[in-house]
Amino acid sequence: MTNTIVKSKVWAFVTHVFNLPMALLRRMITNLLNRVMMMSSLPPPKIDRQADYKKRKMVVGLGNPGMNGSRHSVGMAVLTTLAERLGAPDGWRSDRKVSGEVFVTQLQDVQLVLLRPKLLMNVNGVSVAKAASRFLIQPEHILLIHDELDKPLGKFGIKHGGSARGHNGVRSCVDCLQTDVMPRLRIGIGRPSDKTPIDRYVLGRFSKEEQNVLDSVMKQSVDALLDYLTDSQSKTSPAEGRRAALKKKARTLSPPQNSPEEQTQS
């Protein structure tokens, strides 16, 4: 192959890349980061595999570390409120093996692991997958808490698996866990009423009036979350959702049930 042909092929590839939409380029870069960070993760420590890990659940607050008070990190705020409700607001410990902060407690007969990733939202899934491996937790027993543009402020709901619906943090979790069966607590933040770009809007902080509404929402959502976690049916029924179409080793999961997709709260 002559140098001219090689140069033409390289130039065609470069031209093609730069002609791709920015959203697609961003997605490609995020996927690459997810895979690289997962490959470089530390091996999980030895855990007593005779323990009843089927009664172990994990709740994850998605968000950006260091951006407390922003709309995009409302999942972390709800998780912090949950920890306070469980009586151990200072029980968090940093765990570099999962790239996050962890709080382990007992909720009735469920061993509960709370996780605040220390990675950026777009690669939160790396932290979630590491913690799932470390604590031997199946994806259907991992509940994600995140902000939701398509719900107005003051509303929230529990969604039983399914697509990421454009949320980059959820998409990262789906990519890294290779499944989308994880239930989610979706906290409404609404869409901007003006022409503010979405990325600037979600990274912005709540106003004083919005924070007053959010305080009530966090209390109600934690109530719903505790009911969900301790409900006997939710412990045995698989979460709805479908496997991600990835050519990797399949996980052993129960088939989805024909239950309503979402429980809404107000």
Side-chain angles (χ1 to χ4, degrees):
M1 184 179 294
T2 65
N3 289 337
T4 302
I5 296 177
V6 172
K7 289 179 180 178
S8 64
K9 287 184 177 292
V10 171
W11 177 250
F13 173 76
V14 171
T15 303
H16 172 70
V17 168
F18 279 95
N19 284 333
L20 290 174
M22 285 304 298
L24 180 56
L25 280 174
R26 193 179 299 117
R27 176 70 191 279
M28 291 170 62
I29 293 171
T30 300
N31 284 343
L32 179 61
L33 285 173
N34 281 329
R35 295 180 185 280
V36 170
M37 295 177 75
M38 284 298 297
M39 289 173 61
S40 62
S41 63
L42 296 172
K46 293 182 179 179
I47 298 178
D48 182 8
R49 294 181 179 271
Q50 299 302 317
D52 191 1
Y53 63 88
K54 292 182 179 180
K55 291 187 177 181
R56 192 176 296 149
K57 295 175 181 284
M58 182 162 66
V59 183
V60 184
L62 300 184
N64 286 307
M67 295 193 66
N68 298 334
S70 70
R71 296 182 179 89
H72 217 22
S73 295
V74 70
M76 287 185 171
V78 173
L79 190 70
T80 300
T81 302
L82 174 61
E84 293 172 353
R85 182 78 65 85
L86 294 173
D90 300 322
W92 296 95
R93 61 179 176 82
S94 181
D95 189 339
R96 67 185 185 89
K97 293 183 175 65
V98 303
S99 302
E101 293 179 312
V102 175
F103 170 46
V104 181
T105 187
Q106 196 72 23
L107 180 62
Q108 295 184 11
D109 62 340
V110 177
Q111 186 183 43
L112 195 60
V113 178
L114 307 187
L115 173 67
R116 290 192 301 212
K118 283 188 172 181
L119 303 175
L120 294 176
M121 174 70 90
N122 288 12
V123 288
N124 268 190
V126 175
S127 178
V128 176
K130 287 181 179 181
S133 176
R134 176 172 172 77
F135 294 101
L136 299 177
I137 301 176
Q138 292 296 307
E140 63 266 33
H141 294 151
I142 300 173
L143 187 140
L144 310 175
I145 310 175
H146 65 89
D147 57 299
E148 178 54 61
L149 282 165
D150 292 328
K151 280 187 176 295
L153 182 67
K155 301 289 185 180
F156 64 91
I158 294 178
K159 182 176 185 291
H160 299 281
S163 70
R165 298 171 66 92
H167 193 285
N168 290 330
V170 176
R171 180 183 292 122
S172 175
C173 293
V174 170
D175 289 343
C176 292
L177 292 170
Q178 303 173 35
T179 179
D180 63 2
V181 299
M182 298 77 71
R184 304 100 194 246
L185 175 59
R186 303 159 66 215
I187 308 297
I189 61 171
R191 290 185 174 272
S193 57
D194 52 21
K195 295 183 179 180
T196 302
I198 293 297
D199 55 349
R200 185 183 302 175
Y201 174 76
V202 298
L203 294 177
R205 299 176 67 87
F206 290 102
S207 67
K208 184 177 180 180
E209 293 76 15
E210 290 174 329
Q211 189 62 53
N212 291 334
V213 175
L214 186 64
D215 289 342
S216 176
V217 169
M218 287 202 291
K219 179 182 182 302
Q220 296 177 48
S221 61
V222 168
D223 288 340
L225 185 56
L226 289 171
D227 288 342
Y228 180 85
L229 292 170
T230 57
D231 181 70
S232 59
Q233 184 176 358
S234 69
K235 294 176 186 176
T236 56
S237 298
E240 287 191 346
R242 61 185 181 279
R243 305 281 186 84
L246 299 176
K247 297 179 181 179
K248 296 217 174 180
K249 185 177 180 180
R251 296 175 181 269
T252 303
L253 299 175
S254 300
Q257 289 187 336
N258 295 322
S259 55
E261 181 189 23
E262 185 173 356
Q263 303 168 356
T264 56
Q265 309 285 339
S266 59

